[in-house]
Amino acid sequence: ESLRMILSGSHEVTTAEDAVEALDVLRTEEIDLVTVDLNMPGMKGDDLMRLVRSEFPQVEIIVITGCGSLESATAGIRYGICDYLQKPFDVVQVTGAVMRALSRQKARTRLSAFLEELGEVVGKERDAHAILNDVERSQKLRGRLGGIFGERGPASEPGNGMPLDP
């Protein structure tokens, strides 16, 4: 309820009583972000993260828990969570985590569209999701892409077909 109160002023918030209901909502509505507590009725937070990631890879996940541990944080990283907050949390922490998650999702969406277009142009058989998975698994590849996107050459100037936004 406190999350709903904090976020409902600037975001559309849908709540679920448990993990099963949350999965039903994800299957019937377009959801951008899920907050997960590790201690939920009916299903553990780790199990929900695994299911969300496998069925809805585009949905961002933020863990907000009062029973956090190194093991649960490590599991969250494996499931590609965007943030991990300990209870009690404050408004600044939550709103910052949500903004980071939504920015990350927007960037992934833009990158996916770019990679799809690139694949069409160069005739690659791999889809954007497979390429993104490779990027997420390889720190070296992320570094190389960061270097490419961080360069400010003629291609990144207005009118040369490349967006200026990082």
Side-chain angles (χ1 to χ4, degrees):
E1 183 61 20
S2 60
L3 283 174
R4 188 193 61 72
M5 290 172 55
I6 291 169
L7 299 172
S8 64
S10 54
H11 303 282
E12 184 178 329
V13 178
T14 302
T15 60
E17 292 295 319
D18 57 30
V20 172
E21 185 180 341
L23 289 169
D24 288 341
V25 169
L26 285 164
R27 290 175 181 135
T28 58
E29 298 180 30
E30 189 171 320
I31 302 293
D32 296 320
L33 168 69
V34 173
T35 58
V36 174
D37 193 335
L38 298 178
N39 250 352
M40 297 182 295
M43 183 185 299
K44 291 184 178 182
D46 290 356
D47 295 330
L48 178 59
M49 285 188 287
R50 180 181 48 78
L51 288 169
V52 168
R53 187 54 62 227
S54 67
E55 289 186 47
F56 312 97
Q58 75 286 359
V59 172
E60 293 295 339
I61 302 171
I62 297 175
V63 173
I64 302 176
T65 188
C67 62
S69 67
L70 180 59
E71 292 80 22
S72 65
T74 303
I77 291 169
R78 254 182 283 160
Y79 295 122
I81 65 168
C82 187
D83 222 321
Y84 187 98
L85 303 176
Q86 292 271 146
K87 291 179 184 175
F89 54 82
D90 63 42
V91 173
V92 173
Q93 284 179 313
V94 170
T95 55
V98 168
M99 295 310 292
R100 283 188 300 277
L102 295 176
S103 292
R104 176 176 147 163
Q105 183 186 53
K106 184 177 179 179
R108 281 181 61 94
T109 300
R110 288 176 45 202
L111 181 57
S112 290
F114 169 76
L115 293 174
E116 291 288 343
E117 288 180 36
L118 180 62
E120 289 175 16
V121 170
V122 297
K124 296 290 182 192
E125 296 298 319
R126 300 182 69 208
D127 69 355
H129 185 69
I131 295 168
L132 284 173
N133 283 337
D134 290 347
V135 170
E136 287 178 348
R137 287 190 203 108
S138 170
Q139 186 171 355
K140 182 179 177 181
L141 188 53
R142 283 192 308 272
R144 288 177 63 198
L145 284 174
I148 291 168
F149 287 115
E151 292 176 7
R152 305 288 300 187
S156 65
E157 293 175 5
N160 289 328
M162 293 293 290
L164 286 174
D165 300 353

